[in-house]
Amino acid sequence: MLAHHLHYAYFWTMEKQIPLYFDHAATTPLDPEVQAVMADCMRDVYGNPSSLHAMGREARVVVESSRRTIARALNVSPDSVFFTSGGTEANNSILWGCFHDLKRSVFITAATEHPAVLATLEDIKQKEGIQLHFVRLNNLGLVDMDHLEALLESHPEAVVSLMHANNETGNLIQARGVSSLCRQYGALFHSDTVQTIGKFRMDMEMLDMDFAVGSAHKFYGPKGVGFMVMRSHEKFSAFVKGGGQERKMRGGTENVYGIAGMAKALQMCQETMDADLQQVEGLRETFIRLIEKVLPGVEFNGSHQKQCLPHILNITLPGGVDKEMLLPRMDMAGFCVSTGSACASGSNRGSHVLRALGVSEDAAALRISFGRSNTKAQVEALVSALVNLYPN
Ligand code: PLP
């Protein structure tokens, strides 16, 4: 019997207790090899990449070789990659650029997008009066492709902004299908690919997205650094104004050691991708099998059987658990899990994603996201802890 199988999830070290981490969709731990690259770079490569002297040139080499590494991983040309402070800034830059510079005034998105897209589009709408259309979703939260086509028929010059994988449910879009519809009608396709870069082989040529974004801290790299990919030949004026860095696309001195760490992290993900995927698929299968056995009333939110990212599971626990106490109790038991996206937590408004899927506000919903360091024993401990939430 799994229940009460493991009382303590904590790993004990000499200094502190380390909880078991099942929140990889919020962020991932920094890989030690990435940390080593960054530490070397921080110590040795302190020139400003825009300086023309030897130290500046050395920093420039780090930035440009990182760009090439990232471009190679995504099968795009290096001049399509622009460094930013992360996924949020990259989404803001692209969406504002589509409005300001590419003169697009109709945007099609979904109610389940990340706030980095939704809040930006609402902001452009409020300030500039763009038309904003929401594509219909089915009861699993998957995009209704017929409705998307109908919207494109009426608005062929739209910008379609649909995230590749949802950060709360793991739902995937049919990226190839969306891009071919966009091509057919002449729309632009932007995808928030923050949750998939580093997890799948992302061949941008094949996926045919016009714009995509990445964030290093989601793939075992540092926080506060990311990039945008712009395959379109038309360039934007900078969203962050400044000294003309990033070929005038993003002002501000480049985060040299963050960029070096991000490139190393992505390169490592490319190398271990198949094994990583196999591992999380195994963990997820184990979790589903065990939780269905010990908590038969458990429900899965989103499309958890197909068209989904194996790293993320969103569940609603059967009745009898105090929703408000769910996270604190799991935290006290030594587990890092979450109830929505990390960005929305603290806002006390519940999850807009689950709302869009018709999940009740009162549901005790939990997001579990797996990563490299998780083991089968940890998954068993997690299931036991969930069972222990219920009175005997
Ligand atoms: N988009 C998605 C889908 C995310 O999950 C996140 C991170 O939570 C972001 C954008 C924001 O990325 P960043 O934390 O780099 O700003």
Side-chain angles (χ1 to χ4, degrees):
M1 187 64 193
L2 262 168
H4 315 294
H5 165 68
L6 274 172
H7 302 289
Y8 267 132
Y10 285 111
F11 284 143
W12 288 87
T13 67
M14 291 303 278
E15 298 94 28
K16 63 172 186 175
Q17 306 160 23
I18 303 172
L20 298 188
Y21 192 74
F22 286 96
D23 203 14
H24 293 82
T27 196
T28 53
L30 190 67
D31 188 283
E33 284 188 46
V34 173
Q35 187 186 358
V37 165
M38 290 176 69
D40 287 351
C41 187
M42 238 179 247
R43 189 187 52 237
D44 301 331
V45 189
Y46 55 83
N48 184 320
S50 297
S51 297
L52 297 177
H53 50 62
M55 294 306 287
R57 290 198 306 276
E58 189 183 10
R60 173 58 54 202
V61 167
V62 169
V63 170
E64 296 313 322
S65 71
S66 300
R67 198 187 312 278
R68 284 195 297 278
T69 301
I70 290 168
R72 209 166 30 245
L74 304 175
N75 193 24
V76 289
S77 77
D79 62 10
S80 312
V81 177
F82 300 89
F83 295 122
T84 65
S85 67
T88 301
E89 185 196 315
N91 279 317
N92 271 263
S93 305
I94 289 166
L95 294 169
W96 272 106
C98 284
F99 167 75
H100 265 311
D101 302 289
L102 306 187
K103 310 289 178 214
R104 303 280 173 142
S105 58
V106 181
F107 289 72
I108 299 171
T109 190
T112 44
E113 290 292 306
H114 189 274
V117 165
L118 277 185
T120 305
L121 288 174
E122 290 294 349
D123 191 34
I124 308 176
K125 181 179 172 187
Q126 212 174 53
K127 291 177 177 148
E128 310 288 351
I130 53 164
Q131 274 189 53
L132 189 53
H133 297 277
F134 289 87
V135 69
R136 218 176 282 136
L137 304 171
N138 71 12
N139 61 343
L140 297 176
L142 296 172
V143 169
D144 177 339
M145 296 295 280
D146 292 335
H147 186 227
L148 179 61
E149 177 151 23
L151 286 169
L152 285 169
E153 253 166 25
S154 313
H155 310 286
E157 301 232 312
V159 176
V160 173
S161 182
L162 291 173
M163 68 206 302
H164 197 192
N166 186 278
N167 53 302
E168 293 193 36
T169 60
N171 277 9
L172 287 166
I173 55 163
Q174 297 173 35
R176 200 59 202 90
V178 174
S179 59
S180 59
L181 274 182
C182 289
R183 287 287 163 262
Q184 187 183 331
Y185 288 92
L188 290 171
F189 179 24
H190 163 242
S191 188
D192 178 343
T193 47
V194 162
Q195 289 290 343
T196 46
I197 284 184
K199 311 234 171 71
F200 292 138
R201 279 189 211 291
M202 299 280 288
D203 182 336
M204 289 290 160
E205 277 296 315
M206 192 271 286
L207 293 170
D208 201 15
M209 294 164 176
D210 292 294
F211 308 103
V213 305
S215 174
H217 74 99
K218 306 287 183 178
F219 51 84
Y220 304 92
K223 291 168 183 58
V225 61
F227 57 86
M228 49 187 170
V229 174
M230 295 186 50
R231 289 179 62 244
S232 154
H233 294 297
E234 297 169 273
K235 299 288 182 249
F236 299 161
S237 52
F239 175 73
V240 176
K241 308 276 187 285
Q245 288 90 348
E246 291 300 279
R247 288 153 290 140
K248 298 198 169 63
M249 288 281 290
R250 200 270 183 180
T253 302
E254 295 88 341
N255 175 355
V256 179
Y257 43 82
I259 290 169
M262 173 162 67
K264 174 70 180 174
L266 189 55
Q267 186 191 358
M268 289 181 70
C269 285
Q270 295 294 109
E271 286 160 10
T272 59
M273 194 166 273
D274 296 335
D276 285 350
L277 261 177
Q278 212 181 355
Q279 184 195 350
V280 291
E281 272 162 7
L283 296 172
R284 175 194 148 84
E285 269 170 34
T286 302
F287 179 84
I288 293 175
R289 184 171 44 78
L290 293 178
I291 198 85
E292 283 183 328
K293 195 160 133 198
V294 294
L295 292 177
V298 70
E299 285 172 21
F300 295 90
N301 303 315
S303 173
H304 77 291
Q305 272 161 342
K306 59 178 175 115
Q307 233 187 291
C308 56
L309 189 68
H311 306 68
I312 302 177
L313 266 178
N314 197 307
I315 59 170
T316 295
L317 293 169
V321 175
D322 180 354
K323 179 185 169 226
E324 304 304 324
M325 291 307 292
L326 186 52
L327 270 196
R329 286 188 64 192
M330 288 304 288
D331 190 29
M332 274 165 57
F335 293 87
C336 295
V337 288
S338 81
T339 47
S341 77
C343 325
S345 60
S347 67
N348 213 15
R349 284 179 45 239
S351 156
H352 70 288
V353 174
L354 296 187
R355 232 182 355 260
L357 267 64
V359 176
S360 156
E361 295 264 324
D362 300 326
L366 210 57
R367 176 183 72 179
I368 292 146
S369 45
F370 304 105
R372 253 182 222 163
S373 68
N374 292 139
T375 63
K376 192 161 172 262
Q378 291 183 1
V379 170
E380 288 170 358
L382 173 64
V383 174
S384 288
L386 291 171
V387 172
N388 285 340
L389 292 171
Y390 292 85
N392 286 321

